[in-house]
Amino acid sequence: MKHLLSLEDLPRTGIESLLGRADGWRKTALSGQQPRQPLTGRTVVNLFFEPSTRTRSSFELAAKRLGATVLNFDMASSSARKGETLADTLYTLEAMGGEIFVVRHAVDGVVAGLAEVCADGTRLINAGDGRSAHPTQGLLDMLTIRQRKGRDFSGLSVAIIGDVRHSRVARSDLHALRALDTGEIRVAAPPALLPDASELSGCLVCEDADSAVRGADVVMTLRLQRERMEDGLVASLEAYFRDWGITPERLALARPDAIVMHPGPMNRGVEISDAVADGPQSVIRDQVSNGVAVRMAVLEALVAAA
Amino acid sequence: MKHLLSLEDLPRTGIESLLGRADGWRKTALSGQQPRQPLTGRTVVNLFFEPSTRTRSSFELAAKRLGATVLNFDMASSSARKGETLADTLYTLEAMGGEIFVVRHAVDGVVAGLAEVCADGTRLINAGDGRSAHPTQGLLDMLTIRQRKGRDFSGLSVAIIGDVRHSRVARSDLHALRALDTGEIRVAAPPALLPDASELSGCLVCEDADSAVRGADVVMTLRLQRERMEDGLVASLEAYFRDWGITPERLALARPDAIVMHPGPMNRGVEISDAVADGPQSVIRDQVSNGVAVRMAVLEALVAAA
Amino acid sequence: MKHLLSLEDLPRTGIESLLGRADGWRKTALSGQQPRQPLTGRTVVNLFFEPSTRTRSSFELAAKRLGATVLNFDMASSSARKGETLADTLYTLEAMGGEIFVVRHAVDGVVAGLAEVCADGTRLINAGDGRSAHPTQGLLDMLTIRQRKGRDFSGLSVAIIGDVRHSRVARSDLHALRALDTGEIRVAAPPALLPDASELSGCLVCEDADSAVRGADVVMTLRLQRERMEDGLVASLEAYFRDWGITPERLALARPDAIVMHPGPMNRGVEISDAVADGPQSVIRDQVSNGVAVRMAVLEALVAAA
């Protein structure tokens, strides 16, 4: 693995190997041990063209725990580029000694484009590009499912509910769930928020939230960007919550041991109710913790491959 | 001590113990020794909902000197929350591994509210909430007085002059001075900038600056926010300086060995004159140095209590 | 050397000594060795009153590689000062433990002014002030020339082309080239972008780009700020590129082994063409790498002198 651009590029064994390593880092953290520091002396650059304090912080903590020097290069709020091309920005940071770049950009495919022009020794991690992919989020979601449901996903029914159309999180989850041979992948969203059918191969499209949740082992709900309302794709937050929000009543349709996931940040009362978010079936904070562990595993794997 | 929310919660012995530890860190710094690093492997999160480069930097240096990993989470300029509740932001950072949170917020009581919902192992430090409290500033001010005037405050006359009404610094100073049984606490301000009488128990309210300064051992002046003029609470900066500013003429009324303090940043020519700010009685830079030492002591105490 | 304010203050031997040390750091980096860390326990403050993610990052990496604790104090986007004087900002950061200050400011001479008021043990590095000086850029340019053309500059012809008038980079390059007894220094710019003649002592002023490039060993082109067009100093970017841009056709007039330099960030198609920027004669990425090495050498020298 030279870069991590999308989970589409990773075979099942590759995903499982990363999850295994991440599980190890998670256990090290819980044990309170000082971790090994395989990135000592390495420079990780957080190159964010879209602001994201949350994802950036998760990568920053992961890299620092591995001993790396971290440089935050926030292009969203900086005038650093002043007309410079994206590739020149990358070349400049490579020339300063940057080795691993964690890149977020609002435009689909930009990170893959940088992978074509970067130096031979450079490693890129896609931290979210447009609506395309957010592979470390996909991995942390799989790790969270695995911790609760075991390694064999073939008997699981996973429901993804919400704005799948605009979600890079959902796309990476779909790639990973398929790669891990998940028993049933259900997708449910208002029509305007469903993706093109070509993206849903192998998925069961459900016409409403209840039928998606019924009997599911895993209920993943997605953040609803408020822009969707401004764009007229959603009539009102109240109606959305009534029809698509995960409430205790709706969750009661799922298996009794079903888990509920959300990539955060949550809009409480829009896509999820307080009682579910804070309830015993919620694994939302585990997702965040697993995020740091997954990013440690990815950073380590990329350095080992260098 | 689980959190440091306000000096009201601390008994005299608690304050004196922290001052003693801070004095030790100050001496380590002056000796040029590398300090012990009791926070190695710990993660300190600077969670600032109000911008403050100065206080954030002081905490950042304190934490780094103790060996901590520091994550700056600047909510004032970030879009990280995007509708997320304050508690969810905290839960997310806890799940990432944040252990000690240094929190500043514009609204009174917010940090205390977070203390009610945080995880058991989490430690919170109030770095300023609304007009209520700024306890590390109160501690650094006491440390500065103690270094010049000795541990026994019972013979001291301390004058606090300026916008006490809107000042969390003054509130924390008042708590600390009372806890340390200060001989006389004098307060002087234009009527519109005096707090409610209920907050001045044990204080001598002076009608003008001269009577507050006369014979004082310690003269504390406060920053005048320019908003006060816009709000009509102060007629003009010139008149304010004439009536309430600390000038050499006014300072001559105090004891010859009186010290002058200011929490910074200073408006020279408004609440203090150049000659006083840079004069031999000013201990303003000591306050800043003591700030780092006090924060080291607080961080260490919270970790030791964990 | 107490501070690095301008290369005007440095004799030839001082410059050559720094270049020698920087070359050593460059080789350490290329060898993949962990460098010595002579700044362990030291605090370097990046005090930027003008935004510059690029230069700030270069200094940050240099300082961290030497083991320093780095504090980024971004005054351009912060409300930290709130009316505070520049000197008080410096005094505050000194009192917190800042020892080496890397300062950028939009006004000429500000860094030199701080050098007059700072504490005895403080060390200042000018990271660019107004149009006056950017000494580490001058040094990194000299290191880049030396790596390709050898230590003896007396046989070299160096052409500087572009907006010399507004460029602190060009001023520092001119100081360094003169100090190193460069054979011929040529300067070419549209009349409105030429500096006063008094600044061009020892330079050959060329009337057009072709005559400056013809037979040159080194072609330095400068960034054209878009403000120059708004100010009416440049008619159009197209005309500028035609008359002053470095294209393969123009570069063919130089010596076959001539190198092309640019301080970045580049406006491709304005002051330089893609083919030249990415071509075999371009040493632009070497300049960036040398920037980190030069800054390591300067930081080390200032600490050694303390």
Side-chain angles (χ1 to χ4, degrees):
Chain A
M1 186 169 67
K2 186 163 177 186
H3 308 295
L4 180 63
L5 302 176
S6 163
L7 297 182
E8 286 183 286
D9 311 330
L10 272 184
R12 174 170 179 157
T13 53
I15 290 176
E16 289 184 332
S17 157
L18 285 171
L19 297 181
R21 305 286 315 154
D23 229 11
W25 288 119
R26 181 78 196 272
K27 281 173 190 137
T28 305
L30 291 175
S31 74
Q33 284 179 273
Q34 271 296 90
R36 286 179 303 113
Q37 302 210 305
L39 266 67
T40 301
R42 301 298 187 130
T43 301
V44 173
V45 181
N46 280 322
L47 183 55
F48 276 60
F49 295 92
E50 244 188 8
S52 171
T53 318
R54 168 193 282 262
T55 302
R56 196 259 299 149
S57 295
S58 180
F59 273 107
E60 183 173 347
L61 284 172
K64 284 181 171 171
R65 281 190 197 151
L66 296 175
T69 296
V70 178
L71 190 69
N72 288 317
F73 216 79
D74 179 0
M75 304 306 293
S77 73
S78 116
S79 65
R81 292 181 59 209
K82 300 174 189 166
E84 194 179 51
T85 67
L86 210 62
D88 281 340
T89 300
L90 177 68
Y91 298 150
T92 298
L93 290 162
E94 285 178 342
M96 283 186 197
E99 298 169 277
I100 306 174
F101 292 81
V102 178
V103 187
R104 171 166 287 195
H105 200 285
V107 177
D108 298 293
V110 158
V111 190
L114 289 176
E116 283 170 27
V117 300
C118 72
D120 216 45
T122 292
R123 297 289 171 268
L124 297 174
I125 300 174
N126 183 357
D129 67 317
R131 301 171 183 177
S132 298
H134 190 356
T136 56
Q137 178 77 38
L139 289 172
L140 73 89
D141 285 341
M142 297 310 111
L143 181 59
T144 307
I145 296 175
R146 193 168 106 145
Q147 285 166 347
R148 300 293 180 125
K149 300 294 171 193
R151 295 180 183 212
D152 181 0
F153 283 29
S154 66
L156 296 182
S157 174
V158 177
I160 305 180
I161 296 167
D163 185 6
V164 178
R165 183 173 190 86
H166 302 93
S167 172
R168 52 193 173 208
V169 173
R171 280 183 181 74
S172 282
D173 280 333
L174 287 172
H175 294 147
L177 289 167
R178 281 191 205 108
L180 295 175
D181 297 321
T182 304
E184 191 174 54
I185 309 171
R186 301 172 183 179
V187 170
L193 301 181
L194 272 175
D196 295 341
S198 60
E199 299 195 76
L200 292 175
S201 106
C203 299
L204 179 67
V205 181
C206 302
E207 71 171 355
D208 57 31
D210 287 354
S211 52
V213 170
R214 189 166 292 119
D217 298 283
V218 176
V219 177
M220 292 181 156
T221 177
L222 298 171
R223 178 175 171 76
L224 184 76
Q225 306 282 354
R226 275 149 206 278
E227 298 93 289
R228 303 302 162 239
M229 264 212 325
E230 292 152 25
D231 297 346
L233 300 181
V234 173
S236 82
L237 296 184
E238 288 74 11
Y240 186 87
F241 182 60
R242 182 193 63 217
D243 294 339
W244 304 97
I246 308 302
T247 58
E249 297 69 38
R250 189 158 279 143
L251 184 57
L253 301 173
R255 288 184 49 124
D257 61 350
I259 57 173
V260 177
M261 303 174 71
H262 188 292
M266 284 186 280
N267 289 309
R268 289 164 175 265
V270 179
E271 65 260 6
I272 192 165
S273 75
D274 285 340
V276 172
D278 302 326
Q281 292 172 270
S282 167
V283 295
I284 295 171
R285 296 185 207 170
D286 287 334
Q287 290 175 273
V288 177
S289 299
N290 286 330
V292 178
V294 152
R295 282 149 191 149
M296 290 173 81
V298 169
L299 288 165
E300 187 192 20
L302 291 180
V303 165
Chain B
M1 186 168 69
K2 187 164 175 185
H3 307 296
L4 180 62
L5 302 176
S6 164
L7 296 181
E8 286 183 285
D9 311 329
L10 272 184
R12 175 170 177 155
T13 52
I15 292 177
E16 288 184 332
S17 157
L18 284 171
L19 297 181
R21 305 287 316 156
D23 229 11
W25 287 119
R26 180 78 196 271
K27 280 172 191 138
T28 305
L30 292 175
S31 74
Q33 284 178 271
Q34 270 297 88
R36 286 178 304 113
Q37 303 211 304
L39 266 69
T40 300
R42 302 296 188 131
T43 300
V44 173
V45 181
N46 281 322
L47 182 56
F48 277 60
F49 295 91
E50 244 188 10
S52 170
T53 318
R54 171 193 280 261
T55 302
R56 195 260 300 150
S57 296
S58 181
F59 273 107
E60 183 174 346
L61 284 172
K64 284 181 172 171
R65 278 187 200 155
L66 296 174
T69 296
V70 179
L71 190 69
N72 288 316
F73 216 79
D74 179 0
M75 304 305 293
S77 73
S78 119
S79 65
R81 293 182 58 210
K82 301 176 190 164
E84 193 179 50
T85 68
L86 210 60
D88 281 339
T89 300
L90 177 68
Y91 297 150
T92 298
L93 290 162
E94 285 177 343
M96 283 186 198
E99 298 170 276
I100 306 172
F101 292 80
V102 178
V103 187
R104 170 164 288 194
H105 199 285
V107 176
D108 297 294
V110 159
V111 191
L114 289 176
E116 284 169 27
V117 299
C118 72
D120 216 47
T122 293
R123 298 289 172 268
L124 297 175
I125 301 173
N126 184 355
D129 67 317
R131 299 170 182 177
S132 297
H134 189 357
T136 55
Q137 178 77 37
L139 289 171
L140 74 88
D141 285 342
M142 298 309 111
L143 182 59
T144 308
I145 296 174
R146 191 168 108 145
Q147 285 166 348
R148 299 296 180 125
K149 300 293 172 194
R151 294 179 183 211
D152 182 1
F153 283 30
S154 68
L156 296 182
S157 174
V158 178
I160 305 181
I161 296 165
D163 185 6
V164 178
R165 183 172 190 86
H166 302 92
S167 172
R168 52 193 173 209
V169 173
R171 280 183 181 76
S172 282
D173 280 334
L174 287 172
H175 295 148
L177 289 167
R178 283 191 203 107
L180 296 175
D181 296 321
T182 305
E184 190 174 54
I185 309 172
R186 302 172 181 178
V187 169
L193 302 181
L194 272 175
D196 294 341
S198 62
E199 299 196 76
L200 293 174
S201 107
C203 299
L204 179 67
V205 181
C206 302
E207 69 170 356
D208 57 29
D210 286 355
S211 53
V213 169
R214 190 167 291 120
D217 298 283
V218 176
V219 178
M220 292 182 158
T221 178
L222 298 171
R223 177 175 172 79
L224 184 77
Q225 305 283 354
R226 274 147 208 279
E227 298 92 289
R228 304 302 162 238
M229 265 212 327
E230 291 151 27
D231 298 345
L233 301 180
V234 172
S236 81
L237 297 184
E238 288 73 12
Y240 186 88
F241 182 61
R242 182 193 64 217
D243 294 341
W244 303 98
I246 308 303
T247 58
E249 297 69 36
R250 188 158 278 143
L251 184 57
L253 301 172
R255 288 185 49 126
D257 61 350
I259 57 172
V260 177
M261 302 174 71
H262 188 293
M266 286 187 277
N267 289 309
R268 289 165 174 262
V270 179
E271 65 261 5
I272 193 166
S273 75
D274 286 340
V276 172
D278 303 326
Q281 291 172 269
S282 166
V283 295
I284 295 170
R285 296 184 208 171
D286 286 334
Q287 290 174 271
V288 177
S289 298
N290 285 331
V292 178
V294 154
R295 283 150 190 149
M296 291 173 80
V298 170
L299 287 166
E300 187 192 20
L302 292 179
V303 165
Chain C
M1 185 168 69
K2 187 164 176 186
H3 307 296
L4 179 62
L5 303 175
S6 163
L7 296 181
E8 286 183 286
D9 310 330
L10 272 185
R12 174 170 179 157
T13 53
I15 291 176
E16 288 184 331
S17 157
L18 285 171
L19 296 181
R21 304 286 314 155
D23 230 11
W25 288 119
R26 179 79 197 269
K27 281 173 190 137
T28 305
L30 292 175
S31 73
Q33 284 178 273
Q34 271 296 88
R36 285 178 304 112
Q37 302 211 304
L39 265 69
T40 300
R42 302 297 188 130
T43 300
V44 173
V45 181
N46 281 322
L47 184 54
F48 276 60
F49 296 91
E50 245 188 9
S52 170
T53 318
R54 169 194 281 262
T55 302
R56 195 261 298 150
S57 296
S58 180
F59 273 106
E60 184 174 347
L61 284 173
K64 285 182 170 170
R65 280 189 198 154
L66 296 174
T69 296
V70 178
L71 190 69
N72 288 317
F73 217 79
D74 180 0
M75 305 305 293
S77 74
S78 119
S79 65
R81 292 181 59 209
K82 302 175 190 165
E84 193 179 53
T85 67
L86 209 62
D88 280 339
T89 300
L90 177 68
Y91 297 151
T92 298
L93 290 163
E94 285 178 343
M96 283 187 198
E99 298 170 277
I100 306 173
F101 292 80
V102 177
V103 188
R104 169 166 289 194
H105 200 286
V107 176
D108 298 294
V110 159
V111 190
L114 289 176
E116 282 170 27
V117 300
C118 71
D120 216 46
T122 292
R123 298 289 172 268
L124 297 174
I125 301 173
N126 183 356
D129 68 317
R131 300 173 182 175
S132 296
H134 190 356
T136 56
Q137 178 77 39
L139 289 172
L140 74 88
D141 285 341
M142 297 309 112
L143 181 60
T144 307
I145 296 174
R146 193 170 107 146
Q147 285 166 348
R148 300 295 180 125
K149 300 293 172 193
R151 295 178 183 212
D152 181 2
F153 284 29
S154 68
L156 296 183
S157 174
V158 178
I160 304 181
I161 296 166
D163 184 5
V164 178
R165 183 172 191 88
H166 302 94
S167 173
R168 52 195 174 207
V169 172
R171 279 183 182 75
S172 282
D173 281 334
L174 287 171
H175 295 147
L177 289 167
R178 282 190 203 106
L180 295 176
D181 297 321
T182 304
E184 190 175 54
I185 308 172
R186 302 171 182 179
V187 170
L193 301 181
L194 271 175
D196 294 341
S198 62
E199 299 195 79
L200 293 175
S201 106
C203 300
L204 179 66
V205 181
C206 302
E207 69 170 358
D208 57 30
D210 287 354
S211 52
V213 171
R214 189 166 292 119
D217 297 283
V218 177
V219 177
M220 293 181 156
T221 177
L222 298 171
R223 177 173 172 78
L224 184 77
Q225 306 283 353
R226 274 149 208 277
E227 299 92 290
R228 303 301 163 239
M229 263 212 327
E230 291 151 27
D231 298 345
L233 300 180
V234 172
S236 81
L237 297 184
E238 289 74 11
Y240 186 87
F241 182 60
R242 182 194 63 215
D243 294 341
W244 304 97
I246 307 302
T247 58
E249 297 69 38
R250 189 159 278 142
L251 183 57
L253 301 172
R255 287 185 48 128
D257 61 351
I259 57 174
V260 176
M261 303 174 72
H262 187 293
M266 284 187 278
N267 289 309
R268 288 165 175 262
V270 178
E271 66 260 5
I272 193 167
S273 74
D274 285 340
V276 172
D278 303 325
Q281 291 172 271
S282 167
V283 295
I284 295 170
R285 296 185 208 171
D286 286 334
Q287 289 175 273
V288 177
S289 299
N290 285 331
V292 178
V294 153
R295 283 150 189 149
M296 291 174 80
V298 169
L299 287 165
E300 187 192 22
L302 291 179
V303 165

